[in-house]
Amino acid sequence: MAQQQHLRVVPDEPIDLIDTAGVPVLKRVLPVAAAVLAVALLVVLRRRRQR
């Protein structure tokens, strides 16, 4: 006799990764993005003063 495999039925709902991993990722990315933005702003302001 062949063995029967029991498959679990999963509903067709999307997985919300923002709720699952959004906050931890945001906590790590936000300081880096703020630092990059600050450096870019300083570079732009410095170039304007030199003109």
Side-chain angles (χ1 to χ4, degrees), residues 12-29:
D12 291 337
E13 296 178 8
I15 298 171
D16 192 0
L17 293 178
I18 298 298
D19 283 343
T20 305
V23 174
V25 170
L26 195 60
K27 283 183 181 180
R28 291 182 181 180
V29 170

Side-chain angles (χ1 to χ4, degrees), residues 41-51:
L41 185 62
L42 287 173
V43 168
V44 168
L45 289 175
R46 193 172 243 195
R47 286 185 180 182
R48 283 189 177 186
R49 285 186 182 178
Q50 290 178 354
R51 286 185 183 180

